[in-house]
Amino acid sequence: MIRLYDTIEPNVIDEELLKLAVEEQGPQEAAGQVAKQEGINFKDVKSLQLDFQNILRIDNLWQFESLTKLQLDNNIIEKIDGLESLVNLVWLDLSFNNIESIEGLDTLVKLEDLSLFSNRISKMDAMDTLVKLQVFSIGNNMLDNLLNVIYLRRFPFLRSLNLAGNPICEEEDYKLFVTAYLPDLVYLDFRLIDPHTAKLGDAKYQYSIYELKHRENYIQSKLEEEQANIAELEKHKAAYVEYLNGPYLFDSLYLDDIEAAKLAYLPGVPELLETYKTKFVTVCQTLFDYGLIQEEKRKAEVAIFYECLEEALQDNRAIGLKTIEDFEKIHFAALHTIRNANDLQFVDTKLSECAEEISQLFDVLMTLEMQLVEQLEESINSFERNIIDMVGVFVENVQGLMAQCRDLENHHHEKLLEISINTLEKIVKSEFDEDLPDDVRTLFSDKDTVVNAVGASHDMHLLKIDNREDDLITNVTNWCTAIVNKVHDDELNRNRKRVKEINQYVDHLQNELDNLDFGDLTD
Amino acid sequence: MEVLKEKVEEEEAAEREAEAEQAARRAAEREREDVTLNREDLIDLEQKLSEIEVHIPEVPVTFTKSTIDTSTLPASYRTNTAKEQLLLQVADNFARQYSHLCPDREPLFLHPLNECDVPKFVSTTIRPTLMPYPELYNWDSCADFVSDFLTMVPLPSAIKLPEYLFSPTSVLKYQKGNCFDFSILLCSMLIGAGYDAYCVSGYASQDLCSMDLTREVCPLLKKSKEVVVEKEKVVLKKYTVKPPRDLRSKFELGQIAKKEAEITAAEEKKRKEEEERLLELDKPPPDPMRGLRIHAWVLVLCGRREVPESFFIDPFTARSYSTQDEHFLGIESIWNHKNYWVNMQDCWNGCKDLTFDLGDPVRWEFLLLGTEKPYLSLLESEEEEDLGEDDDVENMDKEDEGKNFDMPCSWVEQISISAKDFETRCPQGRKVIQYKQAKLEKWSPYLNGNGLVSRLTVYEDVDCRKAVEVKEWYKNREDLLEMRQVDKVLNLTTEYFKPGHFLALRVHIYKTMIPETDRTMEFYHTARVDGLVKRSETPRSMTEYYEGRPDFLAYRHVEYGVRTKKFIINTADTNPRPMMKITERFNRNLAKLADDDVAERIFVVSDERIQLRYHCRTDYITTSKREFQKRNDVDNKGNKIIMTPDMCISYEVEPREHTKKLLFQYEMMMDLKNEEKMSKHQVWESEMEVLEILKVREEEEDTHNLTISIYDTKRNEKSKEQREALERQAQEEHIRQVEAELDYLAPFLVQLPPGEKLTRWQALRLKDECLNDFKQRLIDKANLIQARFEKETQELQKKQQWYQENQVTMTVEDEDAYLTYCSQAMFRIRILEQRLNRHKELAPQKYLALEEKLYRDPRLIEYLKVFV
């Protein structure tokens, strides 16, 4: 590399270079003149060629947002870098450079054709996101491990692959291996793969491929399962009752409750716990089911609201379109007559008539819009009322069910306290003959400790139940306010957009009329 | 000077041109006048012609006994079996009792004479037959066939039962019959097909009896009832917006509505009156013999073959009527192949009140008891029982007679229709039906060279003088023309084609076949590459509709200007009409943004303008527009202006950055210029295609070839030849086989005792005998030929002698006769000579062949092989 630097001065991608390249490769002849007149925006450039420029570092390309084709071949680039913002790139040529590893391509998800020919790459990786890759050329590199080809199995659209000139090509089974592991490949080293080779390769690597496939399938199915679970959980979360369809909440109560664990050693407590658990879980399940039902109801409500909203908007739009269509028919006819008329008086009257008509159209459209706003306001308000009511009822019921949980906890607490105190008394009277772990026994040194321990456990449980309840209620109220706000905001935006559109249109018409006027006078 | 001269020449040329132009114009005017004159003349002529009326004296079609050739009829037609005799006695007895009990009723139609003057009971005339044609499995097609196949012959007397009733076979053979013949034939076919059908003898209206359909609207003209789609009631949803408040005065609205209602009511009344008036006009004149006219028709009862309701079929017209129809005025009796029932119900109100519960003896008096009774609905039977008691007494003796007596088998031979007759259908393959203001003509397929199978002419008035519309249906045409409809008022011709033609034409509506006139062509767009659905033309425009194109083009409209005048007579393709404006509309391409997706593109060729209108975004009410003005100006410095901002006026729903750029606009304009060229080219191609289609159509119309199915063995010449060749081959093969099987040893083996094994000596003798015999036969044959030869030569010599003797006294004719005889005799002699020579040549070979065969014969081989 040092040798290279000795002879060639590395170049930097700067404004001047880019401008020159863009101008050279931009539109030609007449279009080129036009382009020159107003200058070319880097943002609009679709393809760029920067070959044989002795570029060392890719830089300053962030402006070319819509670039789809970039050629950086025959430079001295050492690192793939600075391409992050070119997300629309489809075609990337980095051949004949000094790149050592594949990197920095993660954002180029639209890439279909990638050439890294004649570089110093020794491993294929870091291309996981290039799922659309079709043509990949990595010949004349330093790939030395044939197994690295398996990496390319993740590109389902890969049809053409060039590996020629790598050390792996020396290997005996190179062709068979590649064709066997990449069955969808059509061209290898720019030659059509003949079916005979494919068959041979298949036969040879049948078993290892089978294993590989099995593994891949297994991973795939695992992934799918996980995704399904996540989707299910998402659904529950949308209903704000996640982890309530089972003993999750109950388990979480006892998760880091040391005292409770200790107290569980007391006689009678496990049974007590068991009954407590079953009761608690049933309540949770009721809550869960109720939550899902309510979620469905809310969804239906929102859906019907949006349906009605859409209908109203469509109706209104249809009327608007019709109005404009009718207007345009008359208006254009009028403009035509004005253009062809030669009597100044007549033109003047016609012009004023047209202006009058335009203002009338404006009035009509605005009235239509105001009408719609009024109608929608009513609907939106009633929707808001209903959805808030619905959420209110839901919250109330949730609170009721949570209260039941709390009651159960209280009940359990009382029972536990009773048992604990009894045990304490027994221990004090030395009647307790079952052996307890030492740390449990230490609890029963005096009454305060026991009561405190049981109380602490109880308080903690209550706190957790309260937290869960709070979570649920805040989430659902948040959702409610969010949706109501969204509806209001959408309506506001819509209204503004429409008013802007009407104004713009009317301005355009007026302008047209004025221009016409001007043109006539000069003629 | 030369310049001057040139100028003069130019002027002269111009003058000449002007003169020529004038002359041409004058000629054109004259022509136009001629045309108008001609047209008036034509109308006049038409009127005058329509006034002339010709009454063709109708030759009454008759079908009497004398026309039938009775000699070939089988015995069952000429005699009665014992059982039939008995049946006739029973019937006579029944008739006597009937006339005694109901003296005021007409006699029954029980046993008319058949074509051999033998009385036959009507039930036995029905011969249930299932036809081998699948088309004749349903009642409607059967009735159609009968009505088409037979020619109607009126009854000898309209109010008297006929004396004769011919067998269905004769009726089919002569293709003529009266209503009874029609009914019997149809009934036979229907019963054969499994229907519960009966022949009905009764009374019907005049129209029905005389097969007069002139008061009926043609079934082809009846419009199918429009299915009224019930509007789905809009369910008011919870959040449906309330309609804006109506600020108009309720009172005023009410007043207006009232007024409108009044006006509509008045109109309605007027319309109704008019309708009534028309109906009055339509009514037939009162018939003095109403209710007396005898008619026969077919009754199909519900139950069998999934017939949901009983109905009548009029065999003349093949129409079905409900049993309550007012055309049917009364029923005397009904019968099928098993029994005979007399109607005991009162027919004062036509057939409207009749019930067809044949098991009810009060309403239907049966002739034979023993045959299986049609159902008797249980509910009614219980009610009727006590009512029918007194009748039972009367029935007693009849029942005794009828007990255990089955209807004898039909005396008629099996009914058969040949495939040719079935296809030809109508007598001579042609049938004309006159409907109200319409005439329907039918032909059998392939009868007309142009494939015409039926023609419906609709007239303006009841007199059928002036045709309004002519519809013609075709079959088996090579150009797949299915129907042609000519509107005589608008002079419009509409042709409908079946799919499969290479032009993919579906409908063609035109006035004339001259190009660049009003016409509309519809296409099977799925069969076309360009997805063209419809193309309509006027002299000054052309509109095309497309469907399913990848470029989303849906509509193209071209306006033409006036063709520039040139004096050389130009054909349409060398001097195309100038295009003034091309409008193209596109469907929404969802892959593009609405603001980039052109909805309408107008190339104003005359004005050098291009207008674009884009699709509307889903939530907007205005659409983007863009207008390009093509200009090839030069600015004040002399540079060519490539693009200036005022060349593109655009309105954008939502202004975007890149569209403001001149480069963008310039590129777009360049593209549009190309597109314009393409569009123009496509329009030109369309014009060419129209010319091509017209040419092809004219050619096809001139040749009108008919296609012949490969399954049509009669008409398909090729397959016929092939089949005949195959048959011939088969026959030859057969002959050869017979020859091969000819046992030459048989006559000699017979002499030996059968069953015993041959000895060698016997075998040898057998062989020798056989050979000797064959030798003898060969010699005999040679001798025979020789004898004939000699005889022939002797005769010839005699004749020659005689000729030489009488040569002088001979007439020319005799001489001629002699000469012909001579040449014939010489020919015979020569043939015989040849045969003899041939025999001589072949005989030894044949002898050797037989010897060889005998050596190989399996029966002799074991004895003879020693010597071989």
Side-chain angles (χ1 to χ4, degrees), chain A residues 27 30-31 33-35 37-39 41 44 301 304-305 307-308 311-312 314 317 320-321 324 328 332 365 371 375-376 378-379 382-383 386 497-498 501 504-505 508, chain B residues 237-245 609 613 616-623 625 627 640 642-643 649-655 657-658 660-664 666-667:
Chain A
Q33 281 183 37
V34 177
Q37 254 176 23
E38 53 174 5
N41 218 333
D44 303 332
E301 189 79 12
I304 199 164
F305 169 71
E307 201 184 308
C308 293
E311 262 171 29
Q314 283 308 327
R317 177 169 175 253
L321 277 175
I324 289 181
E328 276 186 352
F332 286 139
L365 292 178
Q371 237 172 38
Q375 289 172 331
L376 288 185
E378 207 171 314
S379 274
S382 91
F383 171 68
N386 286 341
K497 219 161 70 179
R498 177 58 55 85
E501 190 193 354
Q504 205 179 322
Y505 184 64
H508 169 75
Chain B
K237 285 176 205 138
K238 210 168 175 182
Y239 298 112
T240 307
V241 292
K242 293 192 180 85
R245 199 169 291 156
R609 266 187 303 142
R613 194 168 55 76
C616 190
R617 291 199 197 182
T618 45
D619 47 352
Y620 280 72
I621 53 170
T622 56
T623 53
K625 282 190 208 80
E627 185 172 335
K640 213 173 132 196
I642 299 158
M643 186 77 207
I649 305 160
S650 54
Y651 163 71
E652 285 183 344
V653 175
E654 196 169 298
E657 187 102 355
H658 72 276
K660 285 224 172 60
K661 289 257 180 179
L662 272 182
L663 179 63
F664 173 81
Y666 175 76
E667 278 175 349

Side-chain angles (χ1 to χ4, degrees), chain A residues 133-335:
Chain A
L133 201 63
Q134 290 176 8
V135 180
F136 184 44
S137 169
I138 192 162
N140 264 353
N141 273 289
M142 299 168 151
L143 299 176
D144 49 7
N145 188 357
L146 203 51
L147 292 177
N148 197 198
V149 173
I150 297 173
Y151 177 79
L152 298 175
R153 279 178 70 85
R154 69 197 60 210
F155 304 118
F157 303 112
L158 188 66
R159 295 291 176 271
S160 172
L161 175 67
N162 179 22
L163 290 168
N166 281 300
I168 50 169
C169 302
E170 306 298 314
E171 283 185 41
E172 199 182 341
D173 299 333
Y174 153 71
K175 259 199 178 156
L176 296 183
F177 185 88
V178 176
T179 49
Y181 275 91
L182 302 172
D184 289 336
L185 212 58
V186 181
Y187 301 97
L188 178 62
D189 301 341
F190 301 122
R191 279 197 195 117
L192 196 66
I193 296 171
D194 67 301
H196 181 65
T197 323
K199 223 182 254 171
L200 271 182
D202 232 21
K204 184 154 188 192
Y205 294 99
Q206 201 176 343
Y207 296 106
S208 48
I209 286 177
Y210 180 75
E211 223 167 87
L212 192 71
K213 265 191 189 157
H214 187 73
R215 219 164 35 235
E216 280 172 356
N217 285 343
Y218 180 71
I219 291 167
Q220 188 67 31
S221 63
K222 260 277 178 85
L223 210 70
E224 271 166 22
E225 204 177 309
E226 211 164 285
Q227 270 166 358
N229 278 341
I230 289 171
E232 182 73 15
L233 187 64
E234 273 314 305
K235 219 174 107 191
H236 296 167
K237 267 192 182 153
Y240 312 110
V241 289
E242 70 275 15
Y243 298 128
L244 286 176
N245 55 339
Y248 298 109
L249 181 60
F250 185 79
D251 290 347
S252 79
L253 295 185
Y254 285 88
L255 190 65
D256 33 37
D257 188 350
I258 314 147
E259 271 80 15
K262 284 177 191 166
L263 291 170
Y265 288 103
L266 299 185
V269 173
E271 293 81 40
L272 192 66
L273 262 178
E274 201 51 47
T275 49
Y276 172 43
K277 187 178 178 181
T278 45
K279 277 183 186 165
F280 193 88
V281 168
T282 4
V283 173
C284 280
Q285 192 63 44
T286 335
L287 184 60
F288 177 78
D289 293 343
Y290 177 68
L292 284 189
I293 292 165
Q294 281 293 312
E295 161 68 5
E296 284 297 310
K297 273 190 187 165
R298 283 198 298 272
K299 247 191 197 162
E301 189 79 12
V302 172
I304 199 164
F305 169 71
Y306 273 111
E307 201 184 308
C308 293
L309 191 72
E310 193 54 36
E311 262 171 29
L313 290 180
Q314 283 308 327
D315 289 352
N316 183 273
R317 177 169 175 253
I319 299 172
L321 277 175
K322 179 96 181 55
T323 318
I324 289 181
E325 196 188 323
D326 292 348
F327 167 78
E328 276 186 352
K329 237 181 244 162
I330 299 166
H331 184 67
F332 286 139
L335 285 188

Side-chain angles (χ1 to χ4, degrees), chain B residues 474-670:
Chain B
Y474 296 88
K475 247 185 199 172
N476 304 318
R477 272 180 74 120
E478 214 156 56
D479 57 358
L480 297 165
L481 179 68
E482 202 173 18
M483 201 251 269
R484 175 183 290 141
Q485 185 175 1
V486 184
D487 190 331
K488 293 276 187 189
V489 181
L490 295 169
N491 203 14
L492 268 185
T493 310
T494 312
E495 290 172 345
Y496 297 88
F497 297 87
K498 277 192 268 189
H501 197 266
F502 74 95
L503 294 171
L505 203 59
R506 194 168 71 83
V507 183
H508 185 193
I509 306 168
Y510 60 92
K511 275 186 177 164
T512 62
M513 291 295 273
I514 304 164
E516 292 173 23
T517 51
D518 286 332
R519 87 178 59 254
T520 304
M521 290 177 181
E522 284 174 39
F523 297 89
Y524 290 98
H525 71 270
T526 43
R528 283 184 67 103
V529 182
D530 60 356
L532 183 67
V533 178
K534 187 176 156 185
R535 176 187 291 138
S536 41
E537 280 183 281
T538 66
R540 295 289 291 276
S541 75
M542 176 166 80
T543 318
E544 292 173 315
Y545 299 87
Y546 295 93
E547 215 167 88
R549 277 173 72 106
D551 61 355
F552 294 91
L553 181 68
Y555 169 91
R556 180 185 284 135
H557 177 84
V558 190
E559 273 176 30
Y560 293 104
V562 187
R563 183 173 270 136
T564 46
K565 268 197 181 153
K566 285 184 187 169
F567 292 104
I568 317 139
I569 298 152
N570 273 307
T571 48
D573 43 307
T574 54
N575 181 21
R577 295 170 287 181
M579 296 172 207
M580 303 300 281
K581 193 170 154 193
I582 303 174
T583 311
E584 290 173 328
R585 289 193 194 135
F586 297 85
N587 286 332
R588 179 90 175 83
N589 179 2
L590 287 173
K592 281 187 189 170
L593 283 176
D595 287 347
D596 290 330
D597 194 9
V598 179
E600 190 179 51
R601 190 161 74 180
I602 306 174
F603 300 110
V604 188
V605 181
S606 57
D607 229 2
E608 297 236 304
R609 266 187 303 142
I610 302 169
Q611 291 176 341
L612 296 182
R613 194 168 55 76
Y614 291 85
H615 277 283
C616 190
R617 291 199 197 182
T618 45
D619 47 352
Y620 280 72
I621 53 170
T622 56
T623 53
S624 301
K625 282 190 208 80
R626 208 162 263 144
E627 185 172 335
F628 291 94
Q629 184 80 48
K630 283 190 280 175
R631 246 188 275 163
N632 292 323
D633 289 351
V634 177
D635 68 359
N636 39 21
K637 284 176 202 160
N639 294 328
K640 213 173 132 196
I641 292 177
I642 299 158
M643 186 77 207
T644 50
D646 62 329
M647 280 163 79
C648 169
I649 305 160
S650 54
Y651 163 71
E652 285 183 344
V653 175
E654 196 169 298
R656 285 180 298 172
E657 187 102 355
H658 72 276
T659 54
K660 285 224 172 60
K661 289 257 180 179
L662 272 182
L663 179 63
F664 173 81
Q665 293 173 355
Y666 175 76
E667 278 175 349
M668 188 173 230
M669 194 162 92
M670 288 298 129

Side-chain angles (χ1 to χ4, degrees), chain B residues 762-778:
Chain B
Q762 271 175 328
L764 276 176
R765 232 191 60 182
L766 204 66
K767 186 203 86 177
D768 287 343
E769 266 179 23
C770 187
L771 279 176
N772 281 335
D773 190 63
F774 187 60
K775 202 195 224 163
Q776 196 54 52
R777 269 182 60 199
L778 287 174

